[in-house]
Amino acid sequence: MKEQPVLTVEDLSVSFHMYDTGLEQYDLKVISNLTLDVRPGEIVAIAGSSGSGKSLLAHAVMGLLPGNASTSGTIAYKGKVLSQKDKEKLRGKEFALVPQSVAYLDPLMTVGTQVTGKKPDQKLLQAQKEIFRRLHLKEGTEKLYPFQLSGGMARRILVSTAVLSDAQVILADEPTPGLDLQMALEALKIFRELADKGKAVVLITHDIDLAFHIADRIAVFYAGTTVEVADARDFLTGPQALRHPYSKALWEALPQNGFRPIAGFQPYAKYLPDGCLFGPRCPYKTRKCETTIPMAEVRGGYVRCIHAD
């Protein structure tokens, strides 16, 4: 029997209140009916092109959206629907974020203090030395300030903060850019170890082919919504095991799979089509695709497509 999800996102929508030409106001919906869950001991990797809502999901879970954002749907932790105040209380304790931007590091504080806190005990200091060693950060790095780090070093410092936290849910937003292949694999191996210890890990990455080998499930985002959630082994098997046309196109666009692109582009949030957001690019589109399409279970996975079988 599978464990219940520790983090559940249901029908999440996120809009930003914006001003157009002539100060005309409008709401720009950037995430629409997004659904995701992650269980203890599991890595769920999120794949999708830039602008598909991956980082916004992490910020919504952490309660880090800007003041002009409004949300609907639910985000729940261990079955409890979270308010903004709940998210703020959990942030840095039960929830840990490995942010995409290294600018999240405090420029006025040494990186060692940012990783361990101001009064670490000997056990925590030893753990910090061990994770720095694994990530090829030289002894003495903990005494440096962020401006003294290379981009790759700063990225590894951010990974270290998640490793040393007691968080039960870790959201890693693009943790491998700027790292060479060996170091990227080591970072992903660390996240795998965290999951194996019972943590729930959400891995947002463009290194999809690497994620296939360490994740348990893959969630595919397109234009701000979830189009498929499936076991990672389905993506290793190939397009015949996948369910959504976009997932299959994403697989075929990988360099090792022929680098075959499809025509068209992901729609801008202000001009989303009716119904299936992938519809304008889909070879199977029918009139029924212009209606609301819920997620449905197909062959052990979940997909937002009426043609999936």
Side-chain angles (χ1 to χ4, degrees), residues 122 124-134 142:
Q122 197 59 39
L124 190 56
L125 285 173
Q126 188 57 42
Q128 174 257 304
K129 289 181 180 180
E130 174 60 21
I131 192 62
F132 276 25
R133 183 192 64 77
R134 284 191 64 180
E142 68 277 4

Side-chain angles (χ1 to χ4, degrees), residues 32-96:
S32 307
N33 306 114
L34 192 149
T35 299
L36 184 76
D37 63 61
V38 57
R39 304 179 185 94
E42 179 182 45
I43 295 179
V44 176
I46 300 178
S49 61
S50 297
S52 60
K54 303 186 297 296
S55 295
L56 274 175
L57 168 66
H59 288 194
V61 170
M62 297 293 291
L64 293 172
L65 294 174
N68 67 328
S70 60
T71 64
S72 62
T74 60
I75 297 173
Y77 176 59
K78 295 183 177 178
K80 179 189 176 183
V81 176
L82 301 178
S83 66
Q84 176 63 22
K85 286 187 177 180
D86 291 330
K87 295 173 187 175
E88 291 171 2
K89 290 178 181 178
L90 293 169
R91 188 192 306 158
K93 298 179 179 68
E94 297 293 300
F95 290 176

Side-chain angles (χ1 to χ4, degrees), residues 253-276:
L254 293 173
Q256 66 269 31
N257 297 329
F259 203 58
R260 294 185 292 273
I262 57 173
F265 52 88
Q266 181 174 263
Y268 174 53
K270 193 176 180 180
Y271 304 107
L272 296 177
D274 293 330
C276 177

